[in-house]
Amino acid sequence: MTTPPPAVQFLATDGTFAPSAGSDEYLPYIEALSDAQHEQFYRDMFVIRRFDTECTNLQRQGQMALWPPSHGQEAAQVGSARATRAQDHIFPSYREHVVAKIRGVDLMGIVGLMRGTTLGGWDVNDPKNGNFHGYTLVLGTQTLHATGYAMGVNFDGAVGTGNPDTDTAVVVYFGDGSTSEGDVNEAMVFAASYQTPTVFFLQNNQWAISVPVATQSRVPLYLRPRGFGIPSVQVDGNDVLASYAVSAKHLDDARNGLGPSYIEAMTYRIGAHTTSDDPTRYQTDEQLAHWVARDPILRFETFLKNKGASEAFFADVEQEAADFAADIRRRTLELPNPTIDNLFDHVYSEPHPLITEQKAWLANYEASFGGDK
Amino acid sequence: MTTPPPAVQFLATDGTFAPSAGSDEYLPYIEALSDAQHEQFYRDMFVIRRFDTECTNLQRQGQMALWPPSHGQEAAQVGSARATRAQDHIFPSYREHVVAKIRGVDLMGIVGLMRGTTLGGWDVNDPKNGNFHGYTLVLGTQTLHATGYAMGVNFDGAVGTGNPDTDTAVVVYFGDGSTSEGDVNEAMVFAASYQTPTVFFLQNNQWAISVPVATQSRVPLYLRPRGFGIPSVQVDGNDVLASYAVSAKHLDDARNGLGPSYIEAMTYRIGAHTTSDDPTRYQTDEQLAHWVARDPILRFETFLKNKGASEAFFADVEQEAADFAADIRRRTLELPNPTIDNLFDHVYSEPHPLITEQKAWLANYEASFGGDK
Amino acid sequence: MAVEELPLAKAINAGLRKAMRDNDKVLLMGEDIGTLGGVFRVTEGIKAEFGDTRVLDTPLAESGIVGTAIGLALRGYRPVCEIQFDGFVYPAFNQITTQLAKLTNRGRGTLRMPVVIRIPYGAHIGAIEHHMESPEAYFAHTAGLRVVSPSTPNDAYWMIQESIESNDPVIFFEPKSRYWPKGPVELDASASPLHASRVARTGTDATLVGHGAMVTMMLQAAELAATEGVSLEVIDLRSLSPVDYTPILDSVTKTGRLVVCQEAAGFVSVGSEIAATVAERAFYSLQAPVIRVSGFDVPMPAPRIENLYLPDVDRILEAVDRSLAF
Amino acid sequence: MAVEELPLAKAINAGLRKAMRDNDKVLLMGEDIGTLGGVFRVTEGIKAEFGDTRVLDTPLAESGIVGTAIGLALRGYRPVCEIQFDGFVYPAFNQITTQLAKLTNRGRGTLRMPVVIRIPYGAHIGAIEHHMESPEAYFAHTAGLRVVSPSTPNDAYWMIQESIESNDPVIFFEPKSRYWPKGPVELDASASPLHASRVARTGTDATLVGHGAMVTMMLQAAELAATEGVSLEVIDLRSLSPVDYTPILDSVTKTGRLVVCQEAAGFVSVGSEIAATVAERAFYSLQAPVIRVSGFDVPMPAPRIENLYLPDVDRILEAVDRSLAF
Ligand SMILES: Cc1ncc(C[n+]2csc(CCOP(=O)(O)OP(=O)(O)O)c2C)c(N)n1
Ligand SMILES: Cc1ncc(C[n+]2csc(CCOP(=O)(O)OP(=O)(O)O)c2C)c(N)n1
Ligand SMILES: [Mg+2]
Ligand SMILES: [Mg+2]
């Protein structure tokens, strides 16, 4: 095996602009970015980290069943999400909080899921939710849904027409652990076979809970899709510019009818898998220190400061983050518990005698306690 | 993508010895072959084809539920099977009749399966059956069994000791269609992760029933394992010498502790998928003619004749094939139907009250008809 | 009213074509269903009529088939998946139980999952392992799925169309031993609701219920019993989830005796459910215990002894005798 | 006799270690079971004791785990697989039903499949979707598998060892809400057969049967009923396949009334099977229909309403009342 090319990178870990060898084809996307877009990237990352902290605290205080933080993975997520266009569709895993936010989803939807008040959270068919599909927690299953969706996009003729506002790409997020699931591989088979406009976006955060990525693969994961006939690239996932540019390019390719592609974003989950996890059991201090030094937000902050972003800007972002988190906290505490309807009403979309009967039984039974059991 | 190297080949389609570019590393295995081994290869292929014809006839005459012929794939199978050593283990798909025969299995075991008198057929733990495991008809599942078995071989320390009589390799057979199943991909993940002595032997016979291999992959299938960190090679599966040499080399590597590898044998299923199939619905005359011209047995016959094999030899093989087929026919017609015991006795290996009860009930019930229902 | 004599397989074919003509979001997907027309030829000729974006010869991966069908449904399509044989549905089981069955509920009314999964099932065809199974129980137990099985060409024609029209996922079990015999199909009748069962024969002494290929056997049993003066009522379940209990309970109220018939292994099965529910709800009507006639709790055996495994007319009558003798 | 107070999770840990010490062919495999000790810490410390060829932190692929376990069993190993949560067993369903469950039969007595699949199951822990399910029915319906579930630390300690000793595949359902409470474990007692049930409390007016976490609730219900003068007998099933019917039928002969309790959705479930069989075999003893208390036939809901879904002491008592009033 020849030495793999370096991951695409535009920002060195110290925040200086230093495109990696082989990144030329992505450069135009970087050059087209405005200062406002740069600041938006930063804002996205900063606010979501504060949100993550708030949700973790809420969980510690018994207000959530669980919280899966995205701490450390913000650049991979923001870069890819900001590269999508309105008509694109997103199939997330369960950690893409900022992608949801960027697409327009009220994050209370995710809070509801993790607090345990709902199994859903938002309506993907409501245009304000930016085609951000529901979370499915069974690892890898969403890669097939995304691929099937993209097959439909193809059948609808919504790729390769040259119309940038209707040609549609489909992005699917998944983790390094999930790559081992049969479904992810079958998704690549179907995507290649039907030449779907799917962009497989792998966040390699080095861990599947406690299991290191080396257990899933002894060669870099971005090589895997090539054996399925799917082109791929590895990107520094802690470099928001690289994540953006690489995503933008591959999304364009997908919309232009060039078929599926695969992006491996190298990143790191700083902190726990979820609030149920104790990473000190498997992660070394050195590993953590290594990656903390590559923090995606700090890196981009330095870049922006070097470019002369104002103190006022940073103060404003800080304030927005605080407000956002406070708002989430307030609304979380106000979230009502679901009712009996919630148990029965949407299991089927058409009448179902057994459900009708059981709903009536339970309502009756609950009423027998005077309604305040 | 660079142009793929040619498949490893030693015999040109006209039977002349003409090693392909890049086949050097396999040449020593060819050079070590004796005339007797050459003749054995031919005998294996010839006899099994006659067997296949006999079984197809038996099916047509209502004596078998089904027959899956191996016609056209004899060289891929014989070459790989003859490359195994006594201690190796074989996990077949359902078409590897000659592999079974070479390993010592009485082919009446397979006949019993396809006639429908048994779900099993032979005892893999009986040394005379050469570690040839049972058929499982659920595509792809056997690749995980083979990999798990090979994990056990590793844990037992039965690889890489340098002892050619105990270091053990595990071969698993599967088809081009099956490569799309999640299980086959998961098997590669586990094999790579545990560096098992597994040789994945893909017979790409160009079809999954009526579906062409292009539906499963748009790039050559031997590229797939590379993304899992498993080295691979493509071989002309209709060239018994190439199939033998490539298999021998990769089996040696596996026994020597070098981990898994993957062989794609390019071949063709001449004739029907099974006796239930009608290939004229999906196969063109040109395709068929193309591959008939590459018939593995004819090619090797020419080679042997060029090398001066005697008329007597060919006559002897002809006779052996006829005798073998006649014996199979006779014994097939004699195969008794299974009894009630067969239904119940091995569902569990330890007593089970429900089974005991149901067996007694049925025996009683059948007896109520005077035993001749 | 146009009535045509069709085998069940061709009735499904006709129903599929009708649904595809009526709604261009309906598409078929599966292994070998296009060029070959399926190993049972149920989809024969449909690809020629509708082309390869309506009839997909997919890669060989059942989880992939159902998983991408879910994605297609999210895009507004109404995919009809074929699983080649009963024994090969399990690789898709995760997508079916954790995704297909649950997405409507997860979506809280915002999503629809109009996916049909056609599964040729059952025995009586002398085929080898994994080709003659009756896995209904797994799907009937799964909340969020509807499970149906036609027993006649007419039902097959209508039920496949109703299944495609349903906005819920439907597991459609086709009794493969009934693919070939012909029966009348009323091409312009209107359909009865998908979950309604059907009284296939009226009688007074005992009730038989079952579905799929078992219906033919129950009718044969009733015919034979009649010659001995025993009058059996036969109910074709048609839907296994939900079960339409009203006609069954009505019948048992009348006859006082019930025999539940199925090819599937009996332990924790649809038959168990029906027996338990009828025993509960018709407690005072039952003059004998509900008797179940099922496959044994063993793997489907080699075809040369499938007859030892399978419930048949004799076993049904033996159960009726036990019931009547109680 | 050495008795130690242990939580159920630690009792399993102790049982696993004992089995691994007694037989070096026993090995553990699963996601996060090694370094982390499993997400419930059931395997905590075992990798440190036995090393990484006895305790495998596998790649993230459930079909891979069970499929390679089958291969290891063919090589003479006795693998104990952990599925991280009930809701994640389905990717392995094909390997479990078509291979693991059937290989012994396919081998006609020449093969053994001593594979244990440990599945933390059930609710009462306030967890999100797929983490609180009760999928017993799928496995109980599958011929060739044994399905068991301990309800106490002592049973957990012994049953895991018996399961590992069994030459048949065993699906081992661990009631995760019972992982933490302690109970006495008799370290040198001898085990009762794996398929035997256990009378957990004797009584005369009605019988409750159930398994896993439901046993605690049935005992609480019996305690409460006793204060009102109603005497309930409680039977801990322990084995769901096969079901040990003798103690249940003996009990029903005595009490004339049966309530079957389970967290799982009721339709086509283990509860259906027991209700059907008891209604058949105890036809003349039953003074009331068998009543089933189950989860509703809906997906396990969001945890903030798990209590609406789950059978609890009140619902058990309500069923007992109905039975007694009949
Ligand atoms: C099919 C399935 N198996 C197991 C789990 C339990 N589980 C949840 S997250 C996780 C690790 C996932 O790792 P990765 O795919 O790398 O994603 P990450 O959490 O790192 O984002 C596991 C094992 C699951 N949710 N689904
Ligand atoms: C899981 C599963 N799905 C479907 C089938 C039905 N089936 C039997 S053989 C076959 C085609 C197999 O093609 P390939 O893997 O290329 O093997 P070949 O028959 O060409 O040797 C199919 C679809 C099966 N046996 N198992
Ligand atoms: Mg990860
Ligand atoms: Mg093939």
Side-chain angles (χ1 to χ4, degrees):
Chain A
M1 199 105 22
T2 54
T3 8
V8 175
Q9 195 191 54
F10 289 101
L11 293 183
T13 48
D14 66 2
T16 55
F17 191 78
S20 59
S23 63
D24 303 5
E25 60 174 323
Y26 303 107
L27 206 53
Y29 290 95
I30 301 287
E31 288 165 353
L33 285 171
S34 66
D35 283 355
Q37 282 173 297
H38 284 152
E39 293 190 351
Q40 185 64 56
F41 291 178
Y42 182 79
R43 196 178 288 271
D44 291 336
M45 294 196 288
F46 193 93
V47 172
I48 213 68
R49 186 169 291 181
R50 186 66 192 75
F51 165 79
D52 250 332
T53 310
E54 194 64 41
C55 289
T56 301
N57 292 342
L58 282 162
Q59 197 282 337
R60 296 275 175 251
Q61 292 152 15
Q63 296 295 335
M64 303 252 194
L66 189 80
W67 190 253
S70 60
H71 190 145
Q73 302 179 214
E74 294 90 346
Q77 295 185 6
V78 167
S80 55
R82 284 288 168 198
T84 57
R85 294 181 64 88
Q87 70 275 17
D88 294 338
H89 279 253
I90 325 292
F91 286 78
S93 179
Y94 48 77
R95 221 183 267 290
E96 285 69 55
H97 316 318
V98 74
V99 182
K101 185 165 184 290
I102 288 171
R103 297 299 298 187
V105 173
D106 178 353
L107 294 196
M108 287 307 293
I110 298 175
V111 168
L113 269 176
M114 298 299 166
R115 179 177 171 86
T117 55
T118 179
L119 300 173
W122 55 94
D123 175 1
V124 66
N125 292 317
D126 183 335
K128 76 168 195 281
N129 290 323
N131 304 330
F132 186 81
H133 288 256
Y135 280 13
T136 101
L137 301 171
V138 186
L139 296 170
T141 53
Q142 76 279 12
T143 58
L144 280 167
H145 308 165
T147 300
Y149 195 94
M151 286 163 67
V153 169
N154 264 355
F155 297 155
D156 290 346
V159 285
T161 69
N163 182 337
D165 296 323
T166 57
D167 282 346
T168 300
V170 178
V171 198
V172 59
Y173 290 90
F174 56 107
D176 47 302
S178 308
T179 60
S180 294
E181 289 283 3
D183 272 8
V184 177
N185 296 287
E186 294 189 11
M188 291 193 282
V189 170
F190 276 70
S193 197
Y194 292 97
Q195 287 294 296
T196 61
T198 315
V199 176
F200 290 90
F201 195 90
L202 161 61
Q203 289 170 76
N204 180 349
N205 66 3
Q206 315 299 323
W207 295 104
I209 311 186
S210 69
V211 180
V213 63
T215 300
Q216 321 292 344
S217 187
R218 295 163 62 105
V219 296
L221 280 166
Y222 77 92
L223 297 177
R224 184 146 320 159
R226 298 193 181 172
F228 293 80
I230 297 179
S232 66
V233 58
Q234 193 183 53
V235 62
D236 180 345
N238 283 8
D239 171 356
V240 71
L241 294 183
S243 170
Y244 169 80
V246 166
S247 302
K249 158 82 165 67
H250 287 272
L251 286 161
D252 273 351
D253 287 353
R255 286 185 216 101
N256 292 335
L258 301 184
S261 64
Y262 190 112
I263 298 168
E264 180 188 20
M266 299 300 283
T267 180
Y268 198 77
R269 193 194 74 213
I270 293 181
H273 169 70
T274 66
T275 44
S276 303
D277 182 36
D278 174 7
T280 63
R281 285 178 174 250
Y282 51 83
Q283 177 187 248
T284 65
D285 292 346
E286 297 74 57
Q287 278 172 319
L288 186 60
H290 174 88
W291 284 97
V292 165
R294 280 156 185 75
D295 186 289
I297 302 189
L298 272 181
R299 193 191 303 190
F300 202 57
E301 187 181 316
T302 313
F303 170 75
L304 288 182
K305 284 188 173 154
N306 290 348
K307 284 195 38 163
S310 69
E311 283 300 318
F313 163 72
F314 290 106
D316 185 60
V317 171
E318 185 95 41
Q319 188 58 48
E320 177 175 333
D323 293 348
F324 188 79
D327 182 60
I328 289 286
R329 162 169 291 267
R330 182 183 51 74
R331 291 199 288 153
T332 301
L333 302 180
E334 281 167 6
L335 266 187
N337 273 357
T339 60
I340 286 184
D341 295 351
N342 219 287
L343 209 50
F344 298 103
D345 284 3
H346 302 295
V347 179
Y348 295 90
S349 52
E350 289 163 19
H352 188 286
L354 187 61
I355 300 291
T356 309
E357 184 184 306
Q358 293 186 349
K359 182 176 178 184
W361 184 90
L362 182 59
N364 212 33
Y365 171 78
E366 291 288 312
S368 73
F369 292 90
D372 58 39
K373 192 200 159 191
Chain B
M1 199 110 14
T2 54
T3 8
V8 175
Q9 195 190 55
F10 289 100
L11 293 184
T13 47
D14 65 1
T16 56
F17 191 77
S20 60
S23 65
D24 301 5
E25 59 174 324
Y26 303 106
L27 203 54
Y29 291 94
I30 302 287
E31 288 165 352
L33 284 171
S34 66
D35 282 357
Q37 283 174 298
H38 284 156
E39 294 190 348
Q40 184 64 55
F41 291 178
Y42 181 79
R43 194 178 288 270
D44 290 336
M45 295 194 289
F46 192 93
V47 172
I48 213 71
R49 187 169 290 181
R50 187 66 192 74
F51 165 79
D52 251 331
T53 309
E54 193 64 43
C55 290
T56 300
N57 291 343
L58 281 163
Q59 198 282 337
R60 296 274 174 254
Q61 293 152 14
Q63 296 296 334
M64 303 252 194
L66 189 81
W67 189 255
S70 60
H71 190 145
Q73 302 179 215
E74 294 91 346
Q77 295 184 6
V78 167
S80 56
R82 284 290 169 199
T84 57
R85 296 180 61 87
Q87 70 274 19
D88 294 338
H89 279 254
I90 324 293
F91 285 79
S93 180
Y94 47 77
R95 221 183 266 290
E96 284 69 53
H97 317 318
V98 74
V99 182
K101 184 163 184 290
I102 289 171
R103 297 298 298 187
V105 173
D106 178 353
L107 293 195
M108 286 306 293
I110 298 175
V111 168
L113 269 175
M114 300 297 164
R115 179 174 170 86
T117 55
T118 179
L119 301 173
W122 55 94
D123 175 3
V124 64
N125 293 315
D126 183 335
K128 76 170 194 282
N129 291 323
N131 304 327
F132 187 80
H133 287 257
Y135 280 13
T136 102
L137 302 172
V138 186
L139 295 170
T141 53
Q142 77 279 12
T143 59
L144 280 168
H145 308 165
T147 299
Y149 195 94
M151 286 164 66
V153 169
N154 264 354
F155 298 157
D156 290 346
V159 285
T161 70
N163 183 335
D165 295 325
T166 57
D167 283 345
T168 301
V170 178
V171 198
V172 58
Y173 290 90
F174 55 106
D176 47 302
S178 308
T179 61
S180 294
E181 290 282 1
D183 272 9
V184 177
N185 296 286
E186 294 190 11
M188 290 193 282
V189 171
F190 276 70
S193 197
Y194 292 97
Q195 288 294 296
T196 60
T198 316
V199 176
F200 291 90
F201 196 90
L202 162 61
Q203 287 171 78
N204 180 348
N205 66 3
Q206 316 299 324
W207 296 105
I209 310 186
S210 69
V211 180
V213 62
T215 299
Q216 322 290 343
S217 186
R218 297 162 62 106
V219 296
L221 280 166
Y222 77 92
L223 296 177
R224 184 144 322 157
R226 297 193 180 172
F228 293 80
I230 297 179
S232 65
V233 59
Q234 194 184 53
V235 62
D236 179 344
N238 284 9
D239 171 357
V240 69
L241 294 182
S243 171
Y244 169 80
V246 165
S247 302
K249 159 80 167 65
H250 287 273
L251 286 162
D252 273 351
D253 287 353
R255 287 186 215 100
N256 291 334
L258 301 184
S261 63
Y262 189 113
I263 298 167
E264 180 187 20
M266 300 302 283
T267 180
Y268 197 78
R269 194 194 74 214
I270 293 181
H273 168 71
T274 66
T275 44
S276 304
D277 182 37
D278 173 8
T280 62
R281 286 179 173 250
Y282 51 83
Q283 178 187 247
T284 64
D285 291 346
E286 297 74 54
Q287 278 172 319
L288 186 60
H290 175 88
W291 284 97
V292 165
R294 281 155 185 75
D295 186 289
I297 302 187
L298 272 182
R299 193 190 305 187
F300 202 57
E301 186 181 319
T302 314
F303 170 76
L304 289 182
K305 286 190 171 151
N306 290 349
K307 284 195 38 161
S310 67
E311 283 300 321
F313 163 71
F314 290 107
D316 185 59
V317 170
E318 186 95 38
Q319 188 58 47
E320 176 176 333
D323 293 347
F324 188 79
D327 182 60
I328 289 286
R329 162 169 291 269
R330 183 184 50 75
R331 291 199 288 153
T332 300
L333 302 180
E334 282 168 5
L335 264 188
N337 272 357
T339 60
I340 286 185
D341 296 351
N342 219 287
L343 209 51
F344 297 104
D345 285 2
H346 302 295
V347 179
Y348 295 90
S349 53
E350 289 164 20
H352 188 286
L354 187 62
I355 300 292
T356 309
E357 184 184 307
Q358 293 186 350
K359 182 176 178 184
W361 184 89
L362 182 58
N364 211 33
Y365 172 77
E366 292 288 310
S368 74
F369 292 88
D372 58 38
K373 197 205 159 189
Chain C
M1 197 153 66
V3 177
E4 217 177 307
E5 286 284 320
L6 288 177
L8 192 145
K10 286 220 178 342
I12 295 174
N13 185 297
L16 290 170
R17 287 181 200 245
K18 177 89 163 37
M20 292 177 78
R21 275 179 217 128
D22 291 353
N23 184 343
D24 64 12
K25 292 295 182 191
V26 177
L27 50 80
L28 313 187
M29 46 200 299
E31 297 157 8
D32 303 294
I33 64 163
T35 309
L36 189 65
V39 293
F40 290 104
R41 308 290 184 263
V42 171
T43 53
E44 184 154 27
I46 305 189
K47 182 173 158 188
E49 180 176 347
F50 295 91
D52 65 4
T53 59
R54 301 285 303 280
V55 181
L56 315 184
D57 266 328
T58 63
L60 206 170
E62 290 78 9
S63 191
I65 293 169
V66 176
T68 56
I70 290 170
L72 281 158
L74 290 168
R75 180 77 187 176
Y77 284 87
R78 305 181 85 83
V80 182
C81 306
E82 174 176 300
I83 298 291
Q84 197 161 83
F85 281 92
D86 35 56
F88 306 135
V89 66
Y90 304 106
F93 205 70
N94 184 39
Q95 286 287 350
I96 295 174
T97 50
T98 72
Q99 306 303 315
L100 184 62
K102 291 192 167 71
L103 271 157
T104 306
N105 190 53
R106 220 177 266 153
R108 321 291 325 136
T110 66
L111 300 178
R112 296 280 172 265
M113 272 294 125
V115 176
V116 178
I117 301 186
R118 295 181 37 242
I119 308 180
Y121 90 103
H124 300 288
I125 62 160
I128 61 172
E129 198 183 0
H130 306 292
H131 295 73
M132 299 207 293
E133 299 176 6
S134 296
E136 304 95 287
Y138 298 115
F139 303 95
H141 179 62
T142 305
L145 301 177
R146 296 178 187 270
V147 184
V148 304
S149 182
S151 70
T152 66
N154 193 56
D155 272 358
Y157 176 74
W158 284 107
M159 286 168 70
I160 190 67
Q161 293 181 63
E162 294 155 28
S163 298
I164 292 170
E165 262 164 49
S166 170
N167 283 321
D168 292 321
V170 178
I171 313 294
F172 192 88
F173 280 106
E174 303 175 1
K176 63 175 95 82
S177 67
R178 305 300 306 162
Y179 270 148
W180 303 283
K182 287 190 180 183
V185 176
E186 297 178 16
L187 294 172
D188 10 74
S190 68
S192 54
L194 193 54
H195 63 257
S197 61
R198 180 176 72 90
V199 178
R201 177 186 176 117
T202 55
T204 51
D205 296 333
T207 306
L208 305 179
V209 306
H211 67 277
M214 201 46 69
V215 174
T216 309
M217 287 205 182
M218 296 191 299
L219 289 170
Q220 287 166 358
E223 202 66 49
L224 273 174
T227 66
E228 307 197 354
V230 174
S231 163
L232 299 179
E233 180 140 313
V234 175
I235 297 180
D236 178 355
L237 283 170
R238 295 171 85 255
S239 171
L240 310 179
S241 175
V243 168
D244 182 18
Y245 276 113
T246 313
I248 302 174
L249 290 170
D250 287 351
S251 180
V252 171
T253 306
K254 177 172 68 175
T255 63
R257 292 169 208 280
L258 178 65
V259 174
V260 185
C261 308
Q262 61 185 2
E263 280 180 45
F267 192 74
V268 187
S269 65
V270 175
S272 320
E273 177 62 34
I274 294 176
T277 298
V278 172
E280 184 181 341
R281 304 209 181 162
F283 190 67
Y284 285 126
S285 307
L286 280 175
Q287 286 158 48
V290 179
I291 298 185
R292 288 168 282 161
V293 180
S294 310
F296 297 104
D297 291 294
V298 305
M300 183 72 206
R304 292 261 162 175
I305 43 170
E306 63 165 317
N307 64 321
L308 275 181
Y309 174 88
L310 289 169
D312 58 9
V313 171
D314 285 338
R315 273 198 219 163
I316 295 172
L317 289 173
E318 187 272 348
V320 168
D321 285 349
R322 266 192 285 149
S323 176
L324 291 171
F326 210 84
Chain D
M1 196 153 69
V3 177
E4 221 177 302
E5 285 285 320
L6 288 178
L8 192 145
K10 285 217 178 347
I12 295 173
N13 185 295
L16 290 170
R17 286 182 201 246
K18 178 87 164 36
M20 293 177 78
R21 276 181 215 127
D22 291 354
N23 184 343
D24 63 12
K25 293 295 182 189
V26 177
L27 49 79
L28 312 187
M29 47 200 300
E31 296 158 7
D32 303 294
I33 64 163
T35 308
L36 189 65
V39 294
F40 290 106
R41 308 292 185 264
V42 172
T43 53
E44 183 155 26
I46 306 189
K47 181 171 157 190
E49 180 177 347
F50 294 91
D52 65 4
T53 57
R54 301 287 300 282
V55 181
L56 315 185
D57 266 327
T58 63
L60 207 170
E62 290 77 11
S63 191
I65 292 169
V66 175
T68 57
I70 291 169
L72 281 158
L74 291 169
R75 179 77 185 174
Y77 285 87
R78 305 182 85 83
V80 182
C81 306
E82 175 177 301
I83 298 292
Q84 197 162 83
F85 282 90
D86 33 58
F88 306 136
V89 66
Y90 304 105
F93 205 70
N94 184 39
Q95 285 286 351
I96 294 174
T97 49
T98 71
Q99 305 303 315
L100 184 62
K102 290 194 168 70
L103 271 157
T104 305
N105 190 54
R106 221 177 266 154
R108 319 293 324 136
T110 67
L111 299 178
R112 296 280 172 266
M113 271 294 127
V115 175
V116 178
I117 301 186
R118 295 180 36 240
I119 308 181
Y121 90 103
H124 300 289
I125 63 160
I128 62 173
E129 199 182 0
H130 306 292
H131 294 72
M132 300 208 292
E133 299 175 6
S134 296
E136 303 95 288
Y138 298 115
F139 304 94
H141 180 61
T142 306
L145 300 177
R146 294 177 188 269
V147 184
V148 304
S149 182
S151 70
T152 66
N154 193 56
D155 271 358
Y157 177 73
W158 286 106
M159 287 168 68
I160 190 67
Q161 294 181 62
E162 293 154 27
S163 299
I164 293 170
E165 261 163 51
S166 169
N167 282 322
D168 292 322
V170 178
I171 313 293
F172 192 87
F173 279 107
E174 303 175 1
K176 63 173 96 82
S177 67
R178 304 301 306 163
Y179 268 149
W180 303 283
K182 287 188 180 183
V185 176
E186 297 176 17
L187 297 173
D188 8 76
S190 67
S192 54
L194 194 55
H195 63 256
S197 61
R198 180 175 70 89
V199 178
R201 178 185 175 119
T202 55
T204 51
D205 296 334
T207 306
L208 305 178
V209 307
H211 68 276
M214 202 45 71
V215 174
T216 309
M217 285 199 184
M218 296 191 299
L219 288 170
Q220 287 167 359
E223 201 65 48
L224 272 173
T227 66
E228 305 194 355
V230 174
S231 165
L232 298 180
E233 181 142 312
V234 175
I235 297 180
D236 178 356
L237 284 169
R238 295 173 83 254
S239 172
L240 310 179
S241 175
V243 168
D244 181 18
Y245 276 113
T246 313
I248 303 175
L249 291 169
D250 286 351
S251 180
V252 171
T253 308
K254 180 172 68 177
T255 64
R257 298 179 146 83
L258 178 65
V259 176
V260 185
C261 308
Q262 62 184 3
E263 281 179 45
F267 193 75
V268 187
S269 64
V270 174
S272 322
E273 176 61 34
I274 294 176
T277 299
V278 172
E280 183 180 343
R281 304 210 181 163
F283 189 68
Y284 285 127
S285 308
L286 280 175
Q287 287 159 47
V290 179
I291 298 184
R292 287 167 285 159
V293 180
S294 310
F296 297 105
D297 291 294
V298 304
M300 183 72 206
R304 292 260 163 177
I305 43 169
E306 61 165 316
N307 63 320
L308 276 181
Y309 174 87
L310 289 169
D312 59 8
V313 171
D314 285 338
R315 273 198 220 162
I316 294 171
L317 289 173
E318 188 271 347
V320 169
D321 285 349
R322 264 192 286 150
S323 176
L324 291 171
F326 212 85

